[in-house]
Amino acid sequence: MEIFFSTVNLIIVMQDPLFWIVPAASIVALVFARVFYVSMKKESEGTPVMQKIAGHVRKGAMSYLRQQYKIVGIVFICLAAVFAVMAYGFQLQNAWVPVAFLTGGFFSGLSGFLGMKTATYASARTANAARTSLNRGLRVAFRSGAVMGLVVVGLGLLDISFWYVLLQIFVDYPDPLQKMCMITTTMLTFGMGASTQALFARVGGGIYTKAADVGADLVGKVEAGIPEDDPRNPATIADNVGDNVGDVAGMGADLYESYCGSILATSALGAAAFMLTGDADMQMKAVIAPMLIAAVGIILSIIGIFAVRTREDATMKTLLGSLSLGTNLSSLLIVGATFAILWALQLTNWALIGCSVVVGLVVGIVIGRSTEYYTSQSYKPTKKLAESGTTGPATVIISGVGLGMISTAVPVIAVVAGIILSYWFASGFDFTNVSMGLYGIGIAAVGMLSTLGITLATDAYGPIADNAGGNAEMSGLGEEVRRRTDALDSLGNTTAATGKGFAIGSAALTGLALLASYIEEIRIGLSRLGETMIQIGDKAVPVHDASFTDFMTYYEVNLMSPKVLAGMFIGAMMAFLFCGLTMNAVGRAASSMVDEVRRQFREIKGILAGKAEPDYARCVAISTRGAQREMVFPSVLAIIAPILTGLVFGVPGVLGLLVGGLSAGFVLAIFMANSGGAWDNAKKYIEEGHFGGKGSEVHKATVVGDTVGDPFKDTSGPSLNILIKLMSMVSIVMAGLTVSWSLF
């Protein structure tokens, strides 16, 4: 015991003092999350009717989440058992993998749960605050959304710093350089737990919310001609529940794994880049640098959150500007802070690595602004999309598909430029310096996500504002209050689309970093099998000294390799297959909802006259069953695909799979998210009074477009970025099996 504590003390002393900023910042984030939560709870929930509606939504959301976690829990137990057999039975994995996998899933789920709990309490309070002023409603909604943002970054960094210190204590490896590589690759495995939980949350929540939304819109708006969120619509409560389980719990789990994945992958690349130099001190600095950048980003996100406010007569552009002020302020401050951190660490080539971080920030801003331009009704593309409704729903759908396809150009070019520039800077303008170049791409992803605290706050704000509008409508709060909540809701549609674009963009850079980290896991897998040398042409190279290029040559990874090409086609197919499965799942669940709403309108007399109360619980139960039934197969398929590809085509096939999935999935996700967001806001533009306003034929046409776009933007599209990273994480975790055996 005395030896143990002396070892702990030694490791703590050996850490760079700057490292302790990481756990400290995570605690600060959680403290402020608590402060914002308590502040929100002090607000009044409004009239008894408002409280009753909020209670229904809260009960439905919690009930669904309990059911989801039961199913996910079974999946996690089965996967952990498989990992345990591989680790303890066949020694193909590190012994820490099963435990790390479970903790990653737990914290990802916890982030979603806490965010959703806050959102279900905040919606009625936002509506009640909007009775006073637009600014007060915005402040309540946004700071409630900030709870989600700060919980995600706080729990993420706390988990990362905990595992980093723990593995420093318990991992016993004679060479400190190889030990650090072992630690960072082991930490990547809790990223798989987070990704698995996130995919179930996104897919299940997306199916739930869109089944309810489609049913409510098609039967309520189009067939019955009643307003959105009208209490006479039986699917209204289920729709509001869905906003929370899909866009809050799902998005929280999604960005938790993006955040952790980018930091962990970059740390692993930093360990690999400096392993061959023999400089253990510089290696440690490269490992903790992404953690420190993320930690400082937390503090600056909090500053940005306090900067968000607006005035009563605010237009949509003014409201967007209010949120942009906070995010832009945080982004500008992080630039200076990044260079200060890297200078303080005295990391090799610190100034140019800092430029890579700036590149990531700029790419994130470009993607966000591009998404805003193509999806906000303040700009020409969405206005033109609304105008296409004058010739019917078919032209709305055609125009929306075209808009989404065109909108992929700017994000793709931005990411390509970001990859090249971040690689170029970090490598010291030497494209042959692969290890440092890849580290630059990883740290660019960290830069993009460094201000996630406020970025996620703007995203979580959306469903809170949406639910507030629903509560205001069902409670009959009057035209002026509804005008304010509509403004907040329209803003939320744009911020949600921007958040999805941001998540997809970060997935592209993080996916590349994970792809590079896979090679490092291959190195460890070979070592675990007792392989000490690999043959590169006529030269035998020690496994521990082999570069990325050496491994590419050894496994014959090139564009003419049939294994690589086969993997690329399978990866591209997976993106489309996954979208098809999730879209059809929404269609089946929505059909059941449409039938139920029609039945209630037909059989429960007096609903449309407002003399009878619909059976809300029945619709909630339909969405819950549909989501639980439909979410399992697509999610499990994402786990099985890289394992089977590895067993058949080996390492080259897996690398091809990851490249194909990343490239096809990234572009497809942007297309779907932007088309869906534009259809939604085109409908909102009509509802503001343009082209005939609510109830007109143009309005009905745009409602149909919005209905098509619902699974695009809230189910299939946002799930793709998780698919990309989950396949990478599974490949990393199963690398030992892939290395030991494959059919070809």
Side-chain angles (χ1 to χ4, degrees):
M1 186 62 70
E2 186 176 332
I3 296 173
F4 171 77
F5 283 111
S6 63
T7 303
V8 172
N9 290 330
L10 179 63
I11 288 170
I12 291 173
V13 171
M14 285 176 62
Q15 298 301 320
D16 191 298
L18 289 173
F19 167 77
W20 301 108
I21 295 174
V22 178
S26 69
I27 293 169
V28 169
L30 295 174
V31 168
F32 270 93
R34 175 68 180 172
V35 169
F36 289 143
Y37 178 80
V38 172
S39 175
M40 177 271 296
K41 286 295 294 287
K42 289 179 179 177
E43 295 281 341
S44 171
E45 206 167 17
T47 66
V49 175
M50 295 172 70
Q51 295 175 29
K52 180 183 177 182
I53 293 166
H56 281 310
V57 174
R58 190 154 50 244
K59 181 181 177 182
M62 291 302 175
S63 175
Y64 169 78
L65 215 57
R66 281 194 296 271
Q67 291 298 318
Q68 177 178 282
Y69 286 168
K70 286 179 183 177
I71 295 173
V72 174
I74 294 170
V75 174
F76 265 76
I77 291 171
C78 294
L79 288 173
V82 172
F83 297 151
V85 170
M86 292 180 63
Y88 310 129
F90 299 105
Q91 282 79 48
L92 294 175
Q93 287 178 344
N94 189 293
W96 291 97
V97 167
V99 183
F101 169 74
L102 291 173
T103 62
F106 173 77
F107 279 106
S108 177
L110 182 62
S111 298
F113 170 79
L114 293 175
M116 195 192 74
K117 181 180 178 181
T118 304
T120 57
Y121 279 108
S123 56
R125 289 171 168 82
T126 299
N128 191 60
R131 297 168 73 184
T132 304
S133 71
L134 182 64
N135 181 60
R136 193 175 171 202
L138 175 65
R139 187 178 66 184
V140 172
F142 184 72
R143 292 192 178 180
S144 300
V147 175
M148 165 65 87
L150 295 175
V151 162
V152 165
V153 296
L155 289 178
L157 273 190
L158 190 65
D159 200 13
I160 289 171
S161 54
F162 168 78
W163 274 103
Y164 180 70
V165 174
L166 184 72
L167 293 173
Q168 285 273 21
I169 296 169
F170 286 102
V171 170
D172 186 19
Y173 221 81
D175 186 344
L177 293 162
Q178 293 179 25
K179 176 180 176 178
M180 187 62 76
C181 287
M182 184 70 70
I183 288 170
T184 52
T185 51
T186 300
M187 289 170 68
L188 273 171
T189 58
F190 95 68
M192 181 186 166
S195 294
T196 303
Q197 162 60 32
L199 190 61
F200 275 100
R202 258 305 189 192
V203 173
I207 294 170
Y208 185 110
T209 184
K210 293 306 106 180
D213 202 0
V214 170
D217 283 356
L218 284 182
V219 185
K221 285 186 182 180
V222 178
E223 295 181 8
I226 58 178
E228 186 173 8
D229 298 316
D230 193 296
R232 293 173 292 177
N233 194 326
T236 297
I237 295 295
D239 187 12
N240 282 285
V241 170
D243 290 336
N244 290 287
V245 300
D247 290 338
V248 179
M251 176 59 83
D254 177 358
L255 285 174
Y256 177 91
E257 64 93 21
S258 290
Y259 187 70
C260 292
S262 66
I263 296 169
L264 294 171
T266 307
S267 293
L269 290 172
F274 286 94
M275 187 177 72
L276 301 180
T277 65
D279 190 340
D281 182 61
M282 197 57 63
Q283 185 190 48
M284 185 180 68
K285 293 178 186 295
V287 167
I288 67 173
M291 303 179 195
L292 284 168
I293 293 168
V296 174
I298 287 176
I299 307 303
L300 301 180
S301 290
I302 293 171
I303 294 172
I305 289 167
F306 280 105
V308 175
R309 55 178 50 88
T310 192
R311 61 179 190 266
E312 184 60 31
D313 60 345
T315 63
M316 183 54 58
K317 281 191 175 181
T318 307
L319 286 169
L320 284 169
S322 300
L323 294 188
S324 297
L325 174 63
T327 54
N328 291 341
L329 177 62
S330 299
S331 298
L332 286 172
L333 291 173
I334 196 67
V335 171
T338 294
F339 284 100
I341 290 167
L342 296 174
W343 173 82
L345 283 171
Q346 287 299 295
L347 187 65
T348 299
N349 198 24
W350 65 269
L352 290 176
I353 291 174
C355 291
S356 294
V357 176
V358 174
V359 167
L361 276 166
V362 172
V363 170
I365 292 170
V366 170
I367 291 174
R369 294 294 170 269
S370 171
T371 304
E372 180 183 316
Y373 174 74
Y374 281 106
T375 60
S376 173
Q377 64 262 49
S378 299
Y379 299 98
K380 186 176 178 180
T382 299
K383 289 180 179 179
K384 293 291 289 184
L385 178 59
E387 187 180 353
S388 70
T390 57
T391 51
T395 48
V396 171
I397 294 168
I398 293 169
S399 298
V401 170
L403 182 153
M405 289 179 173
I406 293 170
S407 73
T408 63
V410 173
V412 168
I413 292 170
V415 167
V416 169
I419 291 169
I420 298 298
L421 289 173
S422 59
Y423 185 106
W424 191 52
F425 282 127
S427 65
F429 311 117
D430 180 10
F431 276 106
T432 62
N433 189 357
V434 178
S435 296
M436 286 303 299
L438 292 173
Y439 181 70
I441 293 174
I443 211 160
V446 174
M448 185 184 290
L449 291 167
S450 59
T451 55
L452 183 63
I454 187 170
T455 304
L456 185 51
T458 63
D459 192 78
Y461 154 87
I464 293 172
D466 192 357
N467 268 213
N471 195 299
E473 177 72 35
M474 287 185 279
S475 304
L477 294 186
E479 191 65 30
E480 180 61 22
V481 177
R482 194 66 177 113
R483 182 189 65 79
R484 291 168 181 163
T485 57
D486 279 348
L488 295 174
D489 185 18
S490 294
L491 175 64
N493 285 334
T494 301
T495 61
T498 303
K500 291 179 179 73
F502 185 84
I504 295 162
S506 67
L509 294 180
T510 302
L512 277 174
L514 290 170
L515 186 63
S517 298
Y518 176 66
I519 299 300
E520 194 56 36
E521 190 64 38
I522 293 298
R523 184 198 308 274
I524 293 171
L526 288 171
S527 300
R528 198 172 280 119
L529 291 171
E531 300 284 342
T532 58
M533 308 290 287
I534 58 173
Q535 195 68 31
I536 311 296
D538 299 329
K539 183 175 64 174
V541 179
V543 169
H544 291 304
D545 295 335
S547 65
F548 284 99
T549 306
D550 290 335
F551 281 110
M552 295 295 101
T553 304
Y554 177 70
Y555 282 107
E556 298 180 346
V557 180
N558 58 73
L559 289 178
M560 292 297 102
S561 168
K563 297 178 187 177
V564 174
L565 289 171
M568 290 174 66
F569 277 107
I570 294 171
M573 175 208 68
M574 278 295 300
F576 285 87
L577 177 61
F578 182 83
C579 285
L581 291 170
T582 50
M583 292 271 294
N584 283 337
V586 170
R588 286 189 292 270
S591 293
S592 299
M593 186 64 71
V594 167
D595 290 340
E596 174 60 21
V597 175
R598 286 172 175 169
R599 184 195 68 79
Q600 292 198 33
F601 281 160
R602 186 175 61 252
E603 297 179 6
I604 303 177
K605 305 301 181 183
I607 286 184
L608 291 175
K611 297 178 180 179
E613 185 174 277
D615 186 355
Y616 299 121
R618 175 69 177 166
C619 292
V620 170
I622 287 173
S623 271
T624 301
R625 283 199 307 271
Q628 303 295 330
R629 184 174 60 249
E630 300 282 2
M631 73 176 182
V632 176
F633 180 68
S635 302
V636 172
L637 183 66
I639 297 171
I640 292 174
I643 299 174
L644 290 180
T645 302
L647 289 174
V648 177
F649 297 114
V651 172
V654 172
L655 287 168
L657 172 84
L658 300 182
V659 170
L662 175 60
S663 54
F666 172 58
V667 180
L668 185 59
I670 292 173
F671 155 66
M672 299 187 83
N674 288 353
S675 284
W679 275 317
D680 195 352
N681 278 336
K683 177 199 67 177
K684 294 289 184 185
Y685 186 69
I686 300 297
E687 291 174 347
E688 291 172 359
H690 302 92
F691 301 110
K694 290 183 179 180
S696 65
E697 290 301 314
V698 180
H699 182 228
K700 291 180 179 180
T702 54
V703 169
V704 173
D706 179 37
T707 304
V708 174
D710 277 335
F712 269 50
K713 67 180 175 65
D714 289 325
T715 308
S716 302
S719 298
L720 277 170
N721 68 81
I722 309 173
L723 175 74
I724 292 167
K725 288 170 290 185
L726 180 58
M727 290 198 300
S728 299
M729 288 292 186
V730 172
S731 300
I732 289 170
V733 172
M734 304 302 291
L737 180 63
T738 306
V739 169
S740 63
W741 190 88
S742 64
L743 183 62
F744 296 109

